[in-house]
Amino acid sequence: MTGGDYFTLTQRLNHIHKLKAYENLNLLNIGNPIRFLGKESIIQPIVATRLEQEETINDLELKRKKENEYLLKTLRSRISCFLPFHREKAHLRKLRVISFGAGRSDCNYYVSLNDRRNMAFVELRFSDKNSNIYNSIKEKESAVQERFNGEVHFKDNCISVKFKTLKDVKETVEKLVDVFEKMIIAFSNYTYYFYQDNQEMWQYHEKGI
């Protein structure tokens, strides 16, 4: 395939709804179009210091790392169309709350298996400069609540679904992934295409709110 062919195909992908792009990556004829990206600090500690740090990791941190890895793996498997899940950031595995870009700057998803109040949640947060997107979604609150069985909370430019962390990690992950998938399907037209004068993309994602 020539460079011109790749350019033509990438242009085609640019005109496909972001949620449809993943399933069309095969057009590029690349063995593995998704390559996980790992980020490390340029400044590396000396080996002795690193070993000391590793030895201080307690059981709780190891447990959180393992659970987050399972959450990330499930998100990638179940919602493969959402490309932010395919970026590998090693530090995410140790965090209590993990964030992902939602499609534009100052608009992000946050997910936690177990926060400091023993709650699991998925949130879509907007900055003040994107509050008009938040308000446009809130205007359809009745439709949103119907989609989420009345479990959605709207407050301070944040749309969230929260529940008490379940005893079984797999059950908690399954519920979080179900909620996350519903949010992505419901709100992606807003997070990706809200400011476009031409709303042509919206018709390609008819399941949105």
Side-chain angles (χ1 to χ4, degrees):
M1 186 179 294
T2 67
D5 292 331
Y6 276 116
F7 178 78
T8 300
L9 290 175
T10 53
Q11 287 297 99
R12 284 183 59 187
L13 288 175
N14 283 334
H15 289 84
I16 293 175
H17 193 289
K18 293 294 196 303
L19 294 187
K20 303 287 186 179
Y22 180 86
E23 62 193 55
N24 287 279
L25 287 177
N26 62 303
L27 294 174
L28 296 177
N29 196 28
I30 298 175
N32 181 19
I34 297 297
R35 290 180 172 83
F36 295 139
L37 304 176
K39 292 187 176 180
E40 276 195 77
S41 172
I42 296 175
I43 303 175
Q44 300 293 342
I46 60 175
V47 175
T49 303
R50 178 174 289 177
L51 289 174
E52 290 172 2
Q53 290 174 341
E54 290 175 352
E55 289 173 356
T56 62
I57 296 176
N58 57 39
D59 291 341
L60 179 61
E61 289 174 321
L62 291 173
K63 178 175 180 288
R64 184 183 301 151
K65 180 177 182 291
K66 184 176 180 180
E67 291 175 351
N68 281 349
E69 287 174 346
Y70 179 68
L71 172 62
L72 290 167
K73 180 180 178 181
T74 306
L75 286 169
R76 289 168 180 157
S77 175
R78 285 271 304 276
I79 319 173
S80 58
C81 65
F82 193 61
L83 298 183
F85 291 151
H86 295 278
R87 296 195 64 185
E88 181 66 31
K89 296 181 181 179
H91 71 278
L92 293 182
R93 302 178 185 277
K94 300 178 182 179
L95 299 179
R96 190 180 290 273
V97 180
I98 303 175
S99 66
F100 301 93
R104 66 176 62 254
S105 60
D106 299 314
C107 177
N108 298 283
Y109 281 107
Y110 294 84
V111 60
S112 178
L113 280 163
N114 190 355
D115 69 5
R116 298 184 185 280
R117 295 169 296 174
N118 199 31
M119 298 292 289
F121 65 80
V122 181
E123 294 182 346
L124 175 58
R125 303 179 192 172
F126 301 89
S127 68
D128 288 341
K129 76 176 185 179
N130 284 323
S131 60
N132 51 343
I133 304 179
Y134 168 82
N135 290 329
S136 293
I137 296 175
K138 195 175 187 305
E139 287 176 359
K140 297 186 177 181
E141 183 173 356
S142 59
V144 173
Q145 295 293 3
E146 183 178 353
R147 182 78 63 94
F148 290 85
N149 300 317
E151 298 178 337
V152 178
H153 300 276
F154 287 86
K155 185 178 180 181
D156 299 331
N157 287 338
C158 177
I159 303 170
S160 63
V161 174
K162 303 179 180 181
F163 59 91
K164 197 77 172 178
T165 298
L166 305 174
K167 292 183 179 180
D168 186 271
V169 174
K170 290 186 177 180
E171 290 182 6
T172 304
V173 168
E174 286 299 312
K175 186 166 184 178
L176 282 174
V177 173
D178 284 342
V179 171
F180 220 141
E181 185 173 29
K182 286 181 179 179
M183 282 194 170
I184 290 169
I185 291 173
F187 306 136
S188 285
N189 281 343
Y190 290 88
T191 59
Y192 282 118
Y193 300 113
F194 182 80
Y195 293 109
Q196 289 191 1
D197 293 333
N198 185 350
Q199 299 296 320
E200 181 182 359
M201 285 295 185
W202 291 52
Q203 67 181 330
Y204 297 123
H205 178 48
E206 66 280 357
K207 295 182 180 180
I209 293 295

